[in-house]
Amino acid sequence: DAERAARRSTAYSTQYSQFFDQLGFGRRRGDLDDIEEAFAKRDLSFRVKEDILVIFSVYFEGHVHFEERQREMQDSRFRTFLKTINGTMPWIQGWIQNRMPLPGVFVFIEICLRGIGQVVFQNNPVCGLLILIGLFVQSTRIAIHGLIGLISGTLTAYALGFDKGLKRSGLFGYNSLLCGLAMATFFSVEKHQGYDAAVAIAVIIFSCFSSVLFIFMGKLFVPYKSPPFTLPFNMSVLMYLLATANMSRVNTGSVRVPMLPEYDAEFETTITASAFFAGCIRGVGQIFLADSIASGALVLAGIAVCSRIGATAALGGSALGSAVALASGVPGTAIEGGMYGFNASLTVTAMYMFYTPSRGAFVLATLAGIMTVLGQQSLDTLLEPYGLPFMTLPFCVITLPFVVLQGTTSLLIAVPLSSMTVPEDHLKKVQYLTEGFEFLKEALYPENAKDFRKKFSRSNKLNKSLKRISKILDAEDDKVDEIVEDEA
């Protein structure tokens, strides 16, 4: 019996490991048809197929349970479309390669759109498209310069042969996009006119340099498990602004009038509720140097397409930053313009990306958001004598220490950079791990099983999963026996 069980185990593990490897390969490549073909070749019943997809759904994101699929068939096409574009859309590049003419061109466009979304930590091309529309609503001139920078930075990554995975995620586009937007914004207040060849050339040069800085700073931060965020953008634009003092052909000048800080200045600090709410929306748009409510709403909508938790964090961070600024007594016009919302918005969103959503992450995000506003006020005072803007430096300076905290506290679950997607996925994976540990504890300490069931709230779901596994094994056991007998 032991020998027969060993043969059965070997046959079973070989057969099913190859089967699941094939499914996983098809899923990673983005070709969902391969999964259907694999099920057909395996000759599994439809019910068994659905049970497998439920139990191993953490590996097959994008497949749904039988009942959910039935509900989707009754859903409107619009709701089905929304579910398709949700998350990071890992299937889209494989679909373009297989279905679109000139796939290289369309993949490059898709990568550039991902780069736009990566400014707010959203690896989603639809998110990038909505944000791009918001930029053109704000200013066609600034948006075009942003596109010039985006394309230049991404092409630099291809020309220098940087990491393929980083390129396909759009990580060489977000700093270069911001370079183009900032340099065009600081050059002129014109929204649809005022193009200058010298500024366009400078955008190309400094956007390319931002891609090199991204790799340089990324390697410096590797031991701390942190990305460089928007530091390459800030360094590149500050270098450009300082260099223009010696350029007679680039008439940028100082962004604001250089002056020493006034500690006894008086200004109006009151603001209406409607103006405060408008400032919260503008704060999200100010991440991309867009101060219109329409642009802020489109940026927020783009984030929501990828992650509802991310959109809530972005808006909540902007509101938190505006509230802290109001409490500290800053001019009401600055709050209404969103100037105290965008850095805090980025910080809070980052906290929910680098840590699994939880009460601990909420506390950390709140503290980080408050400190971002205070850091912004400090940097504003520091840079004012030089006539330089603080841009997103407060976000970078404050967020870095909070991210480096990973692994030093038991109240937070850190998300590795290599497995980062959207907060909803991070939460789902933690739930699966929790159920797995519950199973191990009940298996190791069966005498305390009742206590564990009371302590962990998801044990019922775990028991249902185990029952499904048992049914699948029983249903397929006869087929495995036949294989073993044939081999014998």
Side-chain angles (χ1 to χ4, degrees):
D1 292 339
E3 184 178 355
R4 182 172 180 273
R7 291 201 306 270
R8 176 185 299 178
S9 176
T10 301
Y12 180 85
S13 61
T14 301
Q15 181 185 18
Y16 283 90
S17 63
Q18 293 175 351
F19 172 59
F20 286 118
D21 284 346
Q22 184 177 3
L23 296 185
F25 175 73
R27 180 69 188 96
R28 290 191 297 271
R29 194 176 61 183
D31 191 356
L32 300 182
D33 293 338
D34 285 359
I35 297 178
E36 303 294 338
E37 293 176 3
F39 274 117
K41 291 180 181 179
R42 185 64 189 82
D43 193 25
L44 294 175
S45 66
F46 183 74
R47 196 67 210 179
V48 170
K49 162 187 170 180
E50 295 297 334
D51 285 339
I52 290 176
L53 289 176
V54 169
I55 296 170
F56 299 96
S57 59
V58 69
Y59 303 109
F60 308 126
E61 305 167 359
H63 277 281
V64 292
H65 187 250
F66 175 76
E67 286 79 5
E68 294 181 5
R69 184 168 296 175
Q70 292 295 324
R71 288 195 296 269
E72 281 189 359
M73 294 175 64
Q74 300 174 1
D75 287 344
S76 64
R77 292 184 178 180
F78 179 71
R79 288 189 61 185
T80 303
F81 172 73
L82 289 180
K83 292 178 181 180
T84 303
I85 62 176
N86 182 44
T88 59
M89 297 179 64
W91 56 270
I92 187 67
Q93 291 184 3
W95 184 85
I96 291 175
Q97 292 284 359
N98 296 328
R99 306 290 179 86
M100 296 290 290
L102 301 174
V105 175
F106 283 100
V107 166
F108 181 80
I109 294 173
E110 189 260 356
I111 289 173
C112 289
L113 291 176
R114 286 183 184 272
I116 299 175
Q118 287 285 12
V119 175
V120 284
F121 306 100
Q122 308 304 312
N123 184 13
N124 184 297
V126 178
C127 171
L129 179 61
L130 289 174
I131 294 173
L132 182 61
I133 294 173
L135 295 178
F136 273 97
V137 169
Q138 170 71 20
S139 169
T140 55
R141 181 184 65 85
I142 295 175
I144 289 174
H145 281 82
L147 283 178
I148 293 173
L150 172 67
I151 295 171
S152 301
T154 306
L155 286 176
T156 300
Y158 275 92
L160 297 178
F162 289 149
D163 183 78
K164 183 177 180 181
L166 297 179
K167 288 185 294 188
R168 287 187 171 273
S169 297
L171 290 173
F172 291 100
Y174 72 96
N175 279 294
S176 56
L177 168 76
L178 291 175
C179 286
L181 296 176
M183 293 165 68
T185 300
F186 298 149
F187 174 73
S188 172
V189 296
E190 294 288 339
K191 291 185 177 294
H192 309 293
Q193 298 177 354
Y195 292 90
D196 187 89
V199 174
I201 294 173
V203 166
I204 294 174
I205 294 173
F206 282 93
S207 296
C208 294
F209 181 58
S210 71
S211 293
V212 178
L213 278 179
F214 176 79
I215 291 294
F216 167 70
M217 293 183 178
K219 296 188 74 172
L220 291 180
F221 293 142
V222 163
Y224 307 103
K225 301 178 182 179
S226 173
F229 296 114
T230 56
L231 279 175
F233 148 65
N234 286 282
M235 297 299 296
S236 298
V237 174
L238 286 176
M239 288 178 62
Y240 163 75
L241 292 175
L242 291 171
T244 54
N246 299 308
M247 297 180 184
S248 61
R249 298 185 184 278
V250 181
N251 188 24
T252 296
S254 60
V255 177
R256 52 182 177 167
V257 179
M259 59 184 297
L260 293 175
E262 298 181 11
Y263 290 92
D264 57 350
E266 295 182 1
F267 34 75
E268 182 63 40
T269 60
T270 58
I271 185 174
T272 63
S274 59
F276 180 86
F277 180 75
C280 295
I281 301 295
R282 288 192 178 98
V284 180
Q286 284 282 15
I287 297 172
F288 297 87
L289 293 90
D291 62 355
S292 70
I293 295 179
S295 298
L298 283 169
V299 172
L300 197 60
I303 300 174
V305 166
C306 185
S307 168
R308 267 65 60 203
I309 295 178
T312 303
L315 182 59
S318 180
L320 174 64
S322 300
V324 173
L326 179 62
S328 65
V330 303
T333 53
I335 297 176
E336 185 177 1
M339 294 304 296
Y340 284 92
F342 68 96
N343 274 298
S345 178
L346 283 172
T347 300
V348 173
T349 304
M351 292 300 102
Y352 278 95
M353 287 297 297
F354 285 85
Y355 297 100
T356 302
S358 63
R359 284 177 291 183
F362 174 78
V363 173
L364 194 72
T366 302
L367 177 59
I370 294 172
M371 285 305 305
T372 299
V373 177
L374 301 179
Q376 175 174 323
Q377 293 172 330
S378 300
L379 286 170
D380 187 19
T381 302
L382 179 66
L383 296 173
E384 188 175 14
Y386 304 97
L388 295 173
F390 49 79
M391 296 181 287
T392 58
L393 275 175
F395 151 67
C396 297
V397 172
I398 300 301
T399 301
L400 277 172
F402 281 93
V403 171
V404 174
L405 284 177
Q406 296 183 49
T408 61
T409 172
S410 59
L411 297 179
L412 299 167
I413 301 177
V415 180
L417 284 172
S418 58
S419 59
M420 190 173 293
T421 53
V422 292
E424 287 84 353
D425 288 347
H426 304 162
L427 197 58
K428 182 189 299 183
K429 291 176 182 179
V430 169
Q431 290 173 350
Y432 275 102
L433 288 173
T434 302
E435 293 176 1
F437 281 114
E438 290 174 17
F439 168 72
L440 289 176
K441 288 183 177 181
E442 292 188 5
L444 292 173
Y445 305 101
E447 65 276 5
N448 297 328
K450 293 183 179 179
D451 295 335
F452 284 126
R453 290 192 186 96
K454 292 179 181 178
K455 184 175 181 181
F456 298 105
S457 61
R458 298 189 182 90
S459 59
N460 290 333
K461 186 185 296 185
L462 174 65
N463 292 334
K464 291 180 181 179
S465 299
L466 294 176
K467 288 180 181 179
R468 292 196 187 105
I469 293 175
S470 299
K471 289 181 180 179
I472 292 176
L473 295 179
D474 291 340
E476 298 298 312
D477 188 56
D478 294 337
K479 295 184 179 180
V480 175
D481 286 337
E482 293 177 1
I483 295 173
V484 173
E485 291 175 359
D486 293 340
E487 291 180 354

